[in-house]
C-alpha cells in the first residue's frame, strides 16, 4: 500500500503549516469523489456506500454515519429546506484534531460536507466553527470562495441538478454549542441550551427542518470512501471499526502531537512509538483516552486497541481519540479538580443534578487541593457521580463529567485519601 | 446608535439566514469588532434592528464567552486554563502574567492597555501552555516568550 493510501485524511497536509489551496487539493485527487458522485451515483447510492463502509462518527458518540443520514425523510412531500452541518466547535478539553484538519486542508472538509449534502439532498450547508479558531476560519472562508468560483458550490454544482449553498458560521464560545441540539439553538441565535429528543435533528433540526450534524473528522472521511469504495476503506483498519483515526496525545510525553493511524492501534503503541513515551524522569500513571469526558485508563490497559468497542470494554470511551496523559509528578486530584471546574462552568444550568452536583463536586475537590479535605468527601463525590449518570440529565455533558471523576476515584483513591489525611496536596511544595 | 457601516455589515449577514434573530450573535460580534465591547445601548440598537426584545438579546449575550458586556483594554489576553495546559504549567503562566500586568483575571490594567481573561481549551494542547492575544494564538509559553509577546502590544 502506498503511504497516501495509509493516511488518506492527512497525507496531503503540508508539514510546514501552509494550507492546501484548491489547485493543490485537486492535484492530490481532491473533488474527484464529488465528480464521481454527481456524475455516476444517486444520493441513495452515496448513502449506501457510506453505510457499507461502516464509518462511525468521530465527534465522541460513534454513531454510524450512513444510518444517521438515512433518517432524513425523503420523497416529494418531505420537508424543505434541508440542512447539513459540520460540527467544528471542538471545545472538548484536550482535543485538537479538527483544527489541524481544517487549517491544513479546508477543501477536504468542504468536499465531505457537499457529499453529505448530496446524500440527503440538502439545500444549505453550515460549517459551525468556534470563535477562537481564527486561522481555520480565514482558510475556510477563502476555500469556500474558491469552491464557489470553481462551480463546486452554488447552483447546479458541476452542471448537475444538485445545488447547495455553504455558509461559515462563527460561534461565540460555549462548550454546549458542540452538543448537537445546543448547536441548533446557537445557530438560530439563541442560548445553546439542548433540546428534548425526539424529535431528532434528522427529522426536525434547525428551524424545524431536517438537519444532519457531523463532526469535522467524520466528514473528511467521506470523499475517500466515495472515491475508493467501502472495501478499501475497511482495509485501512486494524479492528472491526473501519478506517483510520486521528489519534493525539498531550501532557508530559516526549512528543505530543497528532497521528493518523489504523483504527484499533493499541493505546500503548500510540504512546510509546508515536508520542515517544514519557519525558525523562517521569512515569506514566493514567490517560483520558478520548478527551476530558472519558474515564481514565491505566497501566493495565496499555494493550487495549483504540476502537469504539475495545475502549468501552476497558471501561472508558474512544471519545475524540485525543489522549491526555497523567504522569507521576502531576497530582491526579488537581487534574480532576481542573476538569470538574470546566464542566461546572460550562453546565447550562438546566438540570439540577448537573448544575448543582458539579458545583458541589467542584468545591469539595478545590477544598481537598487546598488542604481542607474532610472524611466523607470521597463518599460524597461517589454519590454525585451516580446523579450525573446517563438518564438523570437532559444532555451528555453531565455523564461526560462523571467519567473522569468516577474513574479517578477508582484508580487514584490513595491519592485522594492522602490529601485528606495529610491536609495538603502532596504535589505542592 | 449603530453606524452605517455596522448596520450594513449586519444586513449582509441577514441574507444567509431565514430569521432575523439568527443573526444576533454575528451582530454583537460586528459591533464588538468596531467598539471593543457591547454596551447596553448597543444591545438595544441591535435588538431593535433584529426585531427582538433587548432582554432576550442580553440573555444571549451573557451566555457566550466571546461577547464582552464590559469595556476591555486595547489588548485582550485569554489564557487557556483547561486540563492539558494545567498539566503543562498553566499556574506558572498565570502567576507570571498577573505579576507582570498587576491585574487579576477579569480585570483591565489602569492604563487601559490589557484585559486578562481565562479561556477554555484552545485546541493547541500538543503545544501547551497556550493563550490568545487579540485572537492570535501563542503556544509553548514560558515567561520569556510571554514577555516578548507583551512587548509587541503597544
Ligand atoms: C457537551 C457536548 C459537547 C460536544 N461538543 C462537540 C464538538 O465540539 N464537536 C463535535 O463534533 N461533537 C461534539 N459533541 C457531540 C455532538 O453532540 C454530536 O454527537 C456529534 O457532533 C455528531 O457527529 P458525528 O456523528 O459525526 O460524531 C458534543 C457533545 C456534548 C454532549
Ligand atoms: S446535563 Fe448539564 S449541560 Fe446538559 S442540559 Fe442538563 S444542565 Fe445543561
Ligand atoms: S488544554 Fe489548553 S489548549 Fe487544550
Amino acid at each position: 500500500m502506498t503511504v497516501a493510501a495509509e493516511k488518506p485524511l492527512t497525507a496531503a497536509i503540508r508539514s510546514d503549516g501552509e494550507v492546501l489551496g484548491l489547485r493543490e487539493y485537486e492535484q492530490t485527487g481532491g473533488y474527484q469523489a464529488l465528480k464521481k458522485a454527481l456524475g455516476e451515483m444517486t444520493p441513495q447510492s452515496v448513502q449506501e456506500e457510506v453505510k457499507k463502509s461502516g464509518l462511525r462518527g468521530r465527534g465522541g458518540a460513534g454513531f454510524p454515519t450512513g444510518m444517521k443520514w438515512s433518517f432524513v425523510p425523503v420523497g416529494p412531500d418531505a420537508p424543505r429546506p434541508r440542512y447539513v452541518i459540520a460540527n467544528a466547535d471542538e471545545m472538548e478539553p484536550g482535543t485538537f484534531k479538527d483544527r489541524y484538519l481544517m487549517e491544513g486542508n479546508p477543501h477536504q472538509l468542504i468536499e465531505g460536507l457537499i457529499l453529505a449534502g448530496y446524500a440527503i439532498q440538502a439545500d444549505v450547508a453550515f460549517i459551525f466553527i468556534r470563535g477562537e479558531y481564527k486561522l481555520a476560519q480565514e482558510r475556510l472562508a477563502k476555500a469556500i470562495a474558491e469552491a464557489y468560483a470553481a462551480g463546486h458550490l452554488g447552483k447546479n454544482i458541476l452542471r448537475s441538478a444538485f445545488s447547495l449553498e455553504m455558509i461559515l458560521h462563527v460561534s461565540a464560545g460555549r462548550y454546549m454549542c458542540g452538543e448537537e441540539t445546543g448547536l441548533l439553538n446557537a445557530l438560530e441565535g439563541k442560548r445553546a441550551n439542548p433540546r428534548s429528543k425526539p424529535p431528532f435533528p434528522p427529522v426536525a433540526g434547525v428551524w424545524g427542518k431536517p438537519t444532519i450534524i457531523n463532526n469535522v473528522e467524520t466528514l473528511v472521511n467521506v470523499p475517500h470512501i466515495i472515491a475508493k469504495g467501502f472495501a478499501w476503506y475497511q482495509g485501512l483498519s486494524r479492528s472491526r471499526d473501519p478506517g483510520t483515526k486521528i489519534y493525539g496525545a498531550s501532557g508530559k510525553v516526549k512528543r505530543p502531537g497528532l497521528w493518523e493511524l489504523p483504527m484499533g492501534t493499541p493505546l500503548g503503541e500510540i504512546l510509546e512509538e508515536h508520542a515517544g513515551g514519557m519525558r525523562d524522569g517521569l512515569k506514566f500513571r493514567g490517560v483520558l483516552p478520548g478527551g476530558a469526558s472519558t474515564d481514565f485508563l491505566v497501566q493495565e490497559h496499555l494493550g487495549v486497541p483504540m476502537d469504539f468497542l475495545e475502549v468501552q470494554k476497558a471501561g472508558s470511551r474512544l471519545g475524540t481519540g485525543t489522549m491526555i496523559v497523567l504522569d507521576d509528578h502531576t497530582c491526579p486530584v488537581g487534574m480532576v479538580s481542573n476538569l470538574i471546574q470546566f464542566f461546572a462552568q460550562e453546565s447550562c444550568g438546566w438540570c439540577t443534578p448537573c448544575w448543582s452536583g458539579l458545583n458541589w463536586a467542584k468545591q469539595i475537590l478545590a477544598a481537598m487541593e487546598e488542604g481542607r479535605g474532610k472524611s466523607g468527601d470521597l463518599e460524597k463525590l461517589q454519590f454525585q457521580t451516580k446523579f450525573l449518570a446517563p438518564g438523570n440529565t437532559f444532555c451528555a455533558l453531565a455523564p461526560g463529567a462523571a467519567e473522569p471523576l468516577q474513574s479517578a476515584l477508582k484508580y487514584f483513591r490513595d491519592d485522594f485519601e492522602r490529601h485528606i489525611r495529610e491536609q495538603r496536596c502532596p504535589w505542592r511544595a | 446608535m449603530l453606524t452605517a457601516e455596522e448596520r450594513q455589515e449586519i444586513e449582509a449577514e441577514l441574507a444567509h439566514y431565514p430569521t432575523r434573530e439568527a443573526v444576533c450573535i454575528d451582530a454583537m460580534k460586528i459591533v464588538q469588532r468596531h467598539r471593543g465591547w457591547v454596551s447596553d445601548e448597543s444591545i438595544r440598537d441591535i435588538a431593535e434592528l433584529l426585531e427582538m426584545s433587548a432582554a432576550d438579546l442580553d440573555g444571549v449575550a451573557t451566555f457566550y464567552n466571546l461577547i464582552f458586556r464590559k469595556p476591555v483594554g486595547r489588548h485582550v489576553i485569554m489564557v487557556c486554563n483547561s486540563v492539558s495546559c494545567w498539566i503543562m504549567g498553566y499556574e506558572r503562566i498565570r502567576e507570571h502574567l498577573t505579576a507582570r500586568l498587576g491585574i487579576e483575571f477579569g480585570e483591565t490594567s489602569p492604563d487601559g492597555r490589557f484585559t486578562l481573561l481565562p479561556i477554555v481549551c484552545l485546541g493547541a494542547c500538543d503545544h501547551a501552555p497556550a493563550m490568545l492575544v487579540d485572537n492570535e494564538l501563542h503556544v509553548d509559553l514560558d515567561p520569556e516568550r510571554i514577555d516578548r509577546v507583551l512587548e509587541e502590544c503597544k
Side-chain angles (χ1 to χ4, degrees), chain A residues 248-323:
Chain A
S250 63
K252 292 190 175 164
V253 291
K254 284 210 182 89
R255 293 190 301 271
L258 294 168
W259 310 277
E260 182 184 3
L261 300 171
M263 180 65 96
T265 303
L267 175 55
E269 186 178 318
I270 299 170
L271 291 180
E272 277 306 314
E273 283 178 29
H274 301 281
M278 301 305 293
R279 286 187 178 183
D280 292 334
L282 299 179
K283 287 206 186 72
F284 171 86
R285 282 207 74 197
V287 60
L288 301 174
S293 58
T294 57
D295 288 85
F296 277 97
L297 295 179
V298 293
Q299 193 79 30
E300 70 192 69
H301 301 117
L302 290 177
V304 170
M306 287 280 284
D307 69 12
F308 290 103
L309 186 70
E310 295 299 328
V311 180
Q312 198 174 358
K313 277 203 242 158
S316 186
R317 287 189 307 120
L318 179 63
T320 61
T322 40
M323 309 182 244

Side-chain angles (χ1 to χ4, degrees), chain A residues 125-393:
Chain A
F126 287 101
I127 298 177
F128 185 101
I129 190 168
R130 63 180 293 196
E132 293 89 341
Y133 278 5
K134 187 171 162 229
L135 185 61
Q137 289 157 21
E138 290 166 359
R139 291 179 171 185
L140 280 164
K142 180 152 182 275
I144 291 172
E146 286 175 337
Y148 268 105
H152 298 158
L153 279 172
K155 287 247 167 314
N156 302 109
I157 296 177
L158 300 173
R159 296 191 201 86
S160 72
F162 177 59
S163 302
L164 184 74
E165 301 298 327
M166 189 174 288
I167 297 153
L168 182 67
H169 179 95
V170 180
S171 181
R174 199 69 197 264
Y175 181 50
M176 277 305 298
C177 296
E179 195 280 334
E180 57 183 15
T181 62
L183 185 153
L184 299 176
N185 280 333
L187 202 53
E188 290 183 8
K190 300 179 178 126
R191 297 165 73 98
N193 296 325
R195 298 179 179 176
S196 61
K197 297 187 259 195
F200 289 91
V203 175
V206 71
W207 298 293
K209 302 294 183 186
T211 306
I212 287 296
I213 302 151
N214 277 123
N215 172 256
V216 169
E217 186 188 346
T218 311
L219 289 165
V220 300
N221 278 279
V222 175
H224 304 283
I225 293 170
I226 297 305
K228 301 202 182 110
F230 73 90
W232 164 85
Y233 186 73
Q234 289 174 343
L236 296 170
S237 154
R238 283 169 68 170
S239 84
R240 88 192 67 214
D241 291 320
T244 58
K245 176 78 192 81
I246 316 269
Y247 297 107
S250 63
K252 292 190 175 164
V253 291
K254 284 210 182 89
R255 293 190 301 271
L258 294 168
W259 310 277
E260 182 184 3
L261 300 171
M263 180 65 96
T265 303
L267 175 55
E269 186 178 318
I270 299 170
L271 291 180
E272 277 306 314
E273 283 178 29
H274 301 281
M278 301 305 293
R279 286 187 178 183
D280 292 334
L282 299 179
K283 287 206 186 72
F284 171 86
R285 282 207 74 197
V287 60
L288 301 174
S293 58
T294 57
D295 288 85
F296 277 97
L297 295 179
V298 293
Q299 193 79 30
E300 70 192 69
H301 301 117
L302 290 177
V304 170
M306 287 280 284
D307 69 12
F308 290 103
L309 186 70
E310 295 299 328
V311 180
Q312 198 174 358
K313 277 203 242 158
S316 186
R317 287 189 307 120
L318 179 63
T320 61
T322 40
M323 309 182 244
I324 309 159
V325 178
L326 171 69
D327 62 89
D328 66 339
H329 281 48
T330 298
C331 173
V333 178
M335 179 169 169
V336 173
S337 175
N338 175 282
L339 292 164
I340 295 300
Q341 203 178 318
F342 166 83
F343 290 115
Q345 170 190 312
E346 295 300 319
S347 164
C348 78
W350 193 259
C351 338
T352 309
C354 175
W355 189 80
S356 86
L358 285 173
N359 272 293
W360 203 26
K362 174 181 109 176
Q363 282 165 25
I364 293 173
L365 288 162
M368 215 179 270
E369 272 292 277
E370 287 161 13
R372 292 183 284 109
K374 292 195 282 288
S375 67
D377 278 356
L378 297 192
E379 291 69 24
K380 283 185 196 144
L381 289 173
Q382 198 85 53
F383 194 64
Q384 285 309 322
T385 64
K386 299 228 159 52
F387 278 108
L388 295 167
N392 295 335
T393 60

Side-chain angles (χ1 to χ4, degrees), chain B residues 28-153:
Chain B
M28 290 190 283
K29 284 178 27 195
I30 287 165
V31 168
Q32 183 163 299
R33 195 159 60 237
H34 288 284
R35 309 178 186 212
W37 65 297
V38 183
S39 66
D40 288 346
E41 191 200 335
S42 299
I43 290 279
R44 282 195 298 273
D45 293 341
I46 296 168
E48 192 186 323
L49 180 67
L50 300 180
E51 296 159 17
M52 303 170 63
S53 83
D56 282 350
L57 183 62
D58 192 36
V60 175
T62 51
F63 187 84
Y64 292 94
N65 298 330
L66 301 180
I67 305 290
F68 304 142
R69 288 287 280 114
K70 284 196 303 192
V72 290
R74 287 197 299 287
H75 303 286
V76 179
I77 304 175
M78 299 178 120
V79 189
C80 173
N81 67 358
S82 290
V83 62
S84 305
C85 287
W86 181 83
I87 293 172
M88 300 306 286
Y90 152 76
E91 284 182 4
R92 197 166 132 237
I93 297 304
R94 174 188 179 159
E95 276 159 25
H96 183 75
L97 275 165
T98 50
R100 244 222 64 164
L101 303 176
I103 50 175
E104 295 297 322
F105 275 152
E107 294 179 353
T108 298
S109 59
D111 61 0
R113 200 165 147 214
F114 293 107
T115 296
L116 189 61
L117 295 167
I119 187 89
V120 299
C121 177
L122 293 169
C125 326
D126 53 342
H127 289 283
M131 67 176 180
L132 291 179
V133 179
D134 300 332
N135 289 320
E136 293 297 334
L137 182 63
H138 299 273
V139 297
D140 296 316
L141 297 178
D142 57 32
E144 296 75 54
R145 193 171 287 232
I146 289 175
D147 290 347
R148 258 181 285 137
V149 174
L150 295 184
E151 300 283 288
E152 282 174 22
C153 297

